[in-house]
Amino acid sequence: MTERSFDVVVLGGGSGGYAAALRAAELGRTVAVVERDKVGGTCLHRGCVPTKALLHAAEVADTVRDAARYGIHADLLGIDAARIATYRDGIVAKKHKGLEGLLKARGITVVPGEGRLESGPAVRVGDELLRARDVVLATGSYSRTLPGIEIGGRIITSEGALELGEVPRSAIILGGGVIGAEFASLWRSLGADVTIVEALDHLVPNEDVTLSKGLERAYRRRGIGMSLGVRFASTRQDDDGVTVALESGDALTADVLLVAVGRGPATDGVGLDETGVRRERGFVVVDEQLRTNVPNVWAVGDIVPGLQLAHRSFQQGIAVAERIAGMASAPVPDTHVPRVTYSHPELASVGVTEAQAVAAHGEAEIETAEYNLAGNARSEIIGTGGLVKVIRRKNGPVLGVHLIGDRVSELITEGQLAVAWDAHPEDLAPLIHAHPTQSEALGEAFLALAGKPLHAL
């Protein structure tokens, strides 16, 4: 058995893990990252990046279909799934190589293999023990399934969907959250018949209901089927396809069934229980500073209760590295974390929904303003509909910003600043938005809440 010592050992090289490693190294610490697969984790290799590449390819297909609208003569002759996969994989490979180079340049030791936390703290990888002053747990998440559904064959998770060699002719998607909505969008754009089954009453049920209804309308226009407010009863597959029976008595048949019912924390089998790290429902219990109950052991990312988003993981990794170095790093609540669904149309939001605001402060204390993208020149130029919705406390700050429309994800950082800085619409109304841009729609909503709407009645 061999031993090495570091200031910081990070268990997991995904978004939160490598962010913690980079920042700790930048602050002069010696750092090791233990990763059983490839640095970059789920987000880079099996999640955010490859799915967004596919969504862009789907957008190109839609643009070609609609080219005549803009006076461009073009025909969509077909979908080459292999070429799309090559494009996607090339982007992932380039980002992976860049990350490996960055870790190396910062002097970070990457240790391949399965790691387990041990007392000390330390991390064991095979016959090697990596001792540390501080250990950061960043083991990420896995695709959940439901009782009665066995993954395999025509029944797949998002990882399996990325491995398909062709676009399915038809697909059932169990779960209408972010992952389900994104795959429904891209598969439909690439020519598949798609039906979403969601147990709750709306798609993307964690979003403001205005966005949910807007996405449902858009999906109906695109020919995406939906069974909302109904649960699945059973599944069956054979050589010809997969059948999903619903509790309503209906049955759906398709080439594949994508199970997109969320992700669970990957915390089993990594030594947490043996070393006394407290867990609840699989998630690691942490304080506001992301410390576990075991001294000098921290946790970040998807294994910490809350939003499972790569950019939240980045921020937490950076914050923990700074706290280890003795720096003050203010916690960021989940209400300040932007949320995006990269569908067609996109959804982007930050802060609380109208229902949450009313529950917290009472209906009489809440004001909202909506601005339809139909009045925005840039949105008209690129051919998207949608709206901006801003929620404020009466005579108080902005509490939530919610957008639906193509490319609105690029606007949400302004919304984050408004919410995080407790800005009042009156403070934001004088700010100038370039014309013509979609950001003007957000400015119009702020103007309306400040009592001086310009382009809205």
Side-chain angles (χ1 to χ4, degrees), residues 163-187:
E163 295 172 358
L164 291 176
E166 58 185 8
V167 179
R169 291 172 301 173
S170 58
I172 301 165
I173 299 177
L174 186 59
V178 173
I179 296 173
E182 290 185 352
F183 271 97
S185 184
L186 75 88
W187 275 341

Side-chain angles (χ1 to χ4, degrees), residues 175-177 196-217 220 226-230:
I196 302 172
V197 177
E198 169 56 52
L200 298 178
D201 292 336
H202 292 289
L203 293 183
V204 286
N206 291 329
E207 295 293 346
D208 190 275
V209 68
T210 301
L211 299 194
S212 296
K213 290 180 178 179
L215 186 64
E216 289 162 17
R217 287 193 295 270
R220 289 190 187 99
M226 288 168 280
S227 293
L228 304 177
V230 61

Side-chain angles (χ1 to χ4, degrees), residues 284-293 298-300 304-305 312 315-316 319-320 323 329-334:
V284 178
V285 177
V286 294
D287 65 12
E288 191 179 49
Q289 300 295 314
L290 299 170
R291 298 184 185 92
T292 73
N293 62 302
W298 312 70
V300 301
V304 174
R312 173 181 180 259
Q315 187 278 332
Q316 290 184 341
V320 161
R323 290 163 192 159
S329 183
V332 177
D334 277 0

Side-chain angles (χ1 to χ4, degrees), residues 77-148:
L77 301 180
I79 302 296
D80 188 334
R83 289 282 295 275
I84 292 175
T86 298
Y87 152 73
R88 175 200 68 198
D89 294 345
I91 291 174
V92 171
K94 185 175 180 179
K95 297 297 108 182
H96 178 231
K97 183 178 180 180
L99 177 57
E100 287 185 314
L102 185 57
L103 292 168
K104 183 178 181 180
R106 292 278 177 86
I108 295 167
T109 300
V110 177
V111 181
E114 296 271 357
R116 287 180 58 88
L117 181 68
E118 294 201 356
S119 298
V123 174
R124 182 178 299 280
V125 186
D127 293 330
E128 185 173 30
L129 189 67
L130 308 176
R131 296 197 178 275
R133 295 179 183 178
D134 292 271
V135 169
V136 181
L137 305 174
T139 48
S141 60
Y142 63 91
S143 292
R144 291 185 185 274
T145 185
L146 294 175

Side-chain angles (χ1 to χ4, degrees), residues 285-351:
V285 177
V286 294
D287 65 12
E288 191 179 49
Q289 300 295 314
L290 299 170
R291 298 184 185 92
T292 73
N293 62 302
V294 175
N296 300 98
V297 178
W298 312 70
V300 301
D302 287 0
I303 62 174
V304 174
L307 297 172
Q308 293 179 313
L309 298 170
H311 44 280
R312 173 181 180 259
S313 301
F314 287 144
Q315 187 278 332
Q316 290 184 341
I318 293 167
V320 161
E322 292 177 348
R323 290 163 192 159
I324 288 172
M327 300 171 62
S329 183
V332 177
D334 277 0
T335 51
H336 292 178
V337 177
R339 308 177 296 274
V340 179
T341 303
Y342 295 88
S343 48
H344 170 43
E346 288 183 345
L347 311 180
S349 60
V350 67

Side-chain angles (χ1 to χ4, degrees), residues 92 98 133 153 162 165 188 229 272 345 365 379 396 404 442:
V92 171
R133 295 179 183 178
L162 290 172
R188 183 57 182 157
L272 304 192
E365 284 295 308
S379 297
I404 179 171
L442 195 49

